[in-house]
């Protein structure tokens, strides 16, 4: 625990906001329904294929939500599980392997645990084997009350494809469990149909495939549309059940669906060459925060999955002054100046740094390249422009790694007073 003082000092000084945002507590006491949209990247939003809208429901939802158009996924090899780790801990996943597997039994201070301490019932809905990504173990460590895994669903040959239960029956079958939960609840839904290799039956496809040399990209569009329709139906069901009015609904893409192996086809679709800069821009995934009764708006500031935990807790009016997070409330005014990707690349207001090159974020212009000769580093190159933030990025990633490798939260007392409260709450909401 020797590193703890240094890390908490860094977080206090460089991450946490002094002032609460104007949005603090606007959703106090409401349910949170978090929808993880498998492999949905934001290039499909407000875009078309063969003249057809790809995500008509999500496109309309922008008008009634806070929509973050420059929101980046920060996952690595742990894919969906890394995104879950990011959004609930506001720590970075690891650069290799999946932290869900390698550190599933660490001590954490995750949002499900914090929400449990604040009277929430917490659950996950996902129609896959419970041990996939070691979720059954990790969800205990994160403080979840209940995991509705594949065993909670009726899965037949007819209602499944690819990885399992299709998203439409998944949401349909989830409703009865959701309605029986104690309120307020925090429930996370993880969709599955829009997963590589994006297989979909003809009868479920509302739009045609794209036509390029990448079967993967071609098939991606109809499956994204299928998930869009599944979410639309889910919203209808939520409204019918009466849960909608009293809930905040957050929708987020977990990570990219189309890898760089498909850059040629992607370039054909987008009508531009996929440069290293464009590749980073393709790591944007949608984030919607939908609060019934609030108008919302499009937010262009850079944001990332690391920011989800502090943002949700702030909306719910939960104090997090003593928390250790590397993200910030997205509605706060003075936010940290960069979004770090797990490989050390980063996005700042002015720059995108990738592969040792420094780009202008807004124009994509290559500002400077790192000299190729090893010993030739010069002050006035890319390093000059991008280097100061790059140093901070590396430092922050290493602090996050230290917390995980050393299981350092064992040595940190998050809040004594809160602990006293937990014990009382725990007795009242044991729902299985
Ligand atoms: C598996 C699902 C997809 O349960 O979450 O996992 P991914 O391959 O995207 O990590
Ligand atoms: Mn995924």
């Amino acid at each position: 625990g020797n590193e703890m003082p240094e890390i908490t000092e860094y977080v206090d000084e460089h991450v946490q906001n002094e002032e609460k945002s104007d949005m603090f507590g606007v959703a106090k006491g409401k349910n949170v329904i978090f929808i993880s949209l498998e492999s949905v990247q934001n290039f499909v939003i407000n875009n078309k294929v063969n003249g057809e809208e790809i995500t008509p429901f999500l496109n309309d939802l922008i008008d009634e939500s806070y929509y973050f158009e420059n929101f980046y996924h920060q996952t690595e090899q742990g894919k969906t599980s890394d995104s879950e780790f990011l959004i609930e801990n506001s720590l970075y996943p690891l650069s290799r392997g999946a932290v869900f597997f390698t550190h599933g039994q660490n001590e954490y201070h995750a949002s499900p645990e914090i929400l449990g301490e604040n009277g929430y019932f917490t659950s996950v809905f996902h129609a896959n084997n419970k041990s996939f990504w070691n979720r059954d173990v990790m969800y205990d460590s994160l403080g979840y009350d209940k995991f509705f895994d594949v065993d909670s669903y009726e899965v037949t040959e007819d209602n499944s494809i690819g990885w399992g239960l299709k998203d439409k029956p998944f949401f349909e079958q989830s409703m009865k469990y959701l309605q029986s939960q104690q309120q307020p609840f925090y429930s996370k839904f993880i969709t599955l149909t829009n997963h590589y290799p994006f297989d979909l039956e003809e009868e479920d496809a509302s739009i045609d495939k794209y036509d390029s040399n990448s079967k993967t990209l071609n098939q991606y569009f109809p499956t994204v549309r299928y998930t869009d329709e599944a979410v639309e139906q889910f919203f209808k069901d939520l409204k019918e059940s009466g849960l909608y009015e009293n809930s905040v609904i957050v929708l987020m893409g977990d990570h990219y669906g189309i890898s760089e192996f498909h850059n040629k086809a992607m370039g054909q679709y987008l009508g531009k060459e996929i440069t290293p800069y464009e590749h980073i821009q393709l790591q944007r995934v949608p984030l919607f925060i939908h609060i019934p009764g609030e108008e919302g708006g499009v937010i262009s500031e850079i944001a990332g999955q690391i920011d989800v935990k502090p943002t949700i807790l702030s909306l719910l009016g939960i104090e997090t002054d003593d928390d250790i997070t590397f993200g910030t409330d997205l509605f706060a005014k003075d936010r940290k100046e960069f979004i770090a990707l797990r490989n050390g690349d980063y996005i700042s207001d002015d720059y995108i740094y990738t592969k040792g090159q420094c780009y202008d974020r807004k124009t994509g212009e290559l500002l400077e390249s790192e000299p190729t000769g090893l010993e030739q580093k010069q002050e006035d190159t890319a390093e000059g422009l991008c280097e100061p933030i790059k140093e901070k990025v590396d430092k922050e990633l290493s602090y996050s790694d230290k917390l995980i490798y050393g299981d350092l939260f064992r040595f940190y007392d998050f809040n004594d007073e809160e602990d006293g409260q937990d014990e009382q709450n725990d007795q009242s909401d044991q729902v299985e």
Side-chain angles (χ1 to χ4, degrees):
N2 275 348
E3 285 117 333
M4 245 359 224
E6 188 184 332
I7 298 173
T8 53
E9 193 185 307
Y10 171 83
V11 168
D12 277 350
E13 228 171 87
H14 299 279
V15 184
Q16 285 196 332
N17 298 103
E18 304 271 297
E19 280 173 46
K20 295 191 168 53
S21 76
D22 297 343
M23 297 286 284
F24 184 83
V26 299
K28 199 172 172 60
K30 289 206 191 237
N31 304 314
V32 178
I33 297 171
F34 187 97
I35 305 173
S36 174
L37 300 166
E38 177 59 45
S39 299
V40 176
Q41 292 174 237
N42 89 350
F43 75 86
V44 296
I45 303 292
N46 277 331
N47 213 344
K48 289 185 174 175
V49 70
N50 309 315
E52 303 255 22
E53 262 184 295
I54 304 155
T55 57
F57 177 72
L58 292 178
N59 297 348
D60 285 349
L61 194 64
I62 292 177
D63 296 335
E64 308 166 24
S65 309
Y66 293 99
Y67 176 68
F68 296 81
E69 62 178 1
N70 286 304
F71 178 85
Y72 294 81
H73 86 80
Q74 295 165 291
T75 66
E76 261 300 334
Q77 293 170 340
K79 307 302 294 286
T80 308
S81 72
D82 277 357
S83 81
E84 295 180 71
F85 187 80
L86 275 149
I87 61 149
E88 284 166 348
N89 293 293
S90 193
L91 300 173
Y92 296 96
L94 300 176
S95 54
R96 279 179 182 276
V99 59
F100 261 44
F101 272 115
T102 59
H103 297 81
Q105 284 171 324
N106 268 20
E107 180 74 32
Y108 292 105
H109 190 236
S111 46
E113 178 181 330
I114 298 171
L115 290 166
E117 289 166 1
N118 283 274
Y120 275 72
F121 177 74
T122 58
S123 60
V124 183
F125 294 77
H126 182 51
N128 197 357
N129 202 299
K130 68 175 190 234
S131 60
F132 197 91
W133 284 130
N134 201 32
R135 281 182 173 115
D136 50 346
V137 173
M138 187 55 151
Y139 286 168
D140 267 347
S141 303
L142 298 177
Y144 273 110
D145 292 318
K146 174 76 185 169
F147 179 13
F148 295 95
D149 61 56
V150 70
D151 293 336
S152 299
Y153 295 88
E154 201 182 308
V155 186
T156 64
E157 209 175 295
D158 240 21
N159 70 10
S160 47
I161 182 110
W163 280 60
L165 184 65
K166 298 186 215 174
D167 292 345
K168 287 181 187 178
F170 163 63
F171 282 119
E172 266 162 33
Q173 292 185 34
S174 299
M175 280 307 296
K176 61 176 182 291
Y177 300 121
L178 192 65
Q179 283 176 277
S180 69
Q181 289 186 161
Q182 171 228 292
Q183 295 188 55
F185 56 73
Y186 169 88
S187 292
K188 177 169 69 178
F189 289 79
I190 306 172
T191 68
L192 200 52
T193 308
N194 188 48
H195 192 291
Y196 177 85
F198 312 109
D199 284 329
L200 194 71
E201 271 143 347
E202 200 63 36
E203 66 197 48
D204 289 319
S206 304
I207 56 174
D208 288 338
K209 294 173 186 169
Y210 183 58
D211 183 17
S212 75
N213 69 358
S214 161
K215 186 178 171 209
T216 300
L217 181 64
N218 298 349
Q219 300 204 138
Y220 182 68
F221 298 99
T223 54
V224 170
R225 164 61 87 86
Y226 175 82
T227 296
D228 182 75
E229 290 170 2
V231 173
E232 178 176 24
Q233 183 58 51
F234 185 45
F235 266 66
K236 284 193 184 125
D237 291 345
L238 287 172
K239 285 179 181 168
E240 248 167 55
S241 71
L243 286 172
Y244 172 81
E245 288 298 326
N246 203 30
S247 304
V248 176
I249 306 169
V250 183
L251 302 98
M252 184 195 81
D254 61 350
H255 49 71
Y256 66 81
I258 307 298
S259 73
E260 55 197 328
F261 295 113
H262 306 275
N263 273 357
K264 197 165 164 248
M266 185 65 99
Q268 176 192 330
Y269 172 69
L270 295 175
K272 57 184 165 190
E273 191 199 338
I274 310 303
T275 61
Y277 164 84
E278 294 293 349
H279 172 72
I280 298 298
Q281 290 299 60
L282 281 169
Q283 305 315 305
R284 285 178 294 183
V285 293
L287 174 70
F288 293 82
I289 299 180
H290 179 73
I291 309 174
E294 292 262 334
E295 233 174 72
V298 176
I299 299 179
S300 304
E301 272 80 41
I302 56 165
Q305 290 172 327
I306 199 93
D307 300 315
V308 170
K309 175 192 182 189
T311 305
I312 291 179
L313 292 178
S314 162
L315 287 171
L316 299 179
I318 295 171
E319 302 279 346
T320 50
D321 295 348
D322 296 318
D323 204 1
I324 296 179
T325 67
F326 292 105
T328 62
D329 175 1
L330 289 172
F331 295 106
K333 285 197 188 73
D334 255 333
R335 299 188 45 241
K336 207 180 64 187
E337 61 192 330
F338 59 83
I339 297 300
L341 303 186
R342 182 56 254 200
N343 66 2
D345 290 350
Y346 75 81
I347 299 97
S348 71
D349 192 32
D350 294 331
Y351 306 123
I352 282 186
Y353 175 84
T354 181
K355 297 191 191 298
Q357 296 180 318
C358 193
Y359 293 85
D360 183 305
R361 181 175 74 91
K362 284 163 191 140
T363 66
E365 185 195 343
L366 177 61
L367 298 172
E368 284 288 357
S369 282
E370 201 168 50
T372 38
L374 265 178
E375 306 294 325
Q376 303 175 5
K377 290 191 176 179
Q378 290 167 17
E379 285 303 305
D380 58 348
T381 63
E383 320 240 315
L385 296 171
C386 271
E387 190 62 21
I389 294 180
K390 171 66 178 157
E391 277 168 21
K392 293 182 194 173
V393 166
D394 290 344
K395 190 181 198 178
E396 186 165 302
L397 289 169
S398 87
Y399 281 151
S400 179
D401 287 346
K402 279 184 177 145
L403 287 171
I404 295 165
Y405 287 127
D407 194 4
L408 296 186
F409 283 174
R410 288 176 300 162
F411 308 115
Y412 188 73
D413 189 3
F414 280 96
N415 191 336
D416 271 336
E417 267 171 45
E418 248 179 41
D419 286 345
Q421 267 179 14
D422 308 345
E423 270 140 41
Q424 286 176 1
N425 283 338
D426 280 350
Q427 293 164 0
S428 55
D429 41 70
Q430 288 300 328
V431 189
E432 249 301 288

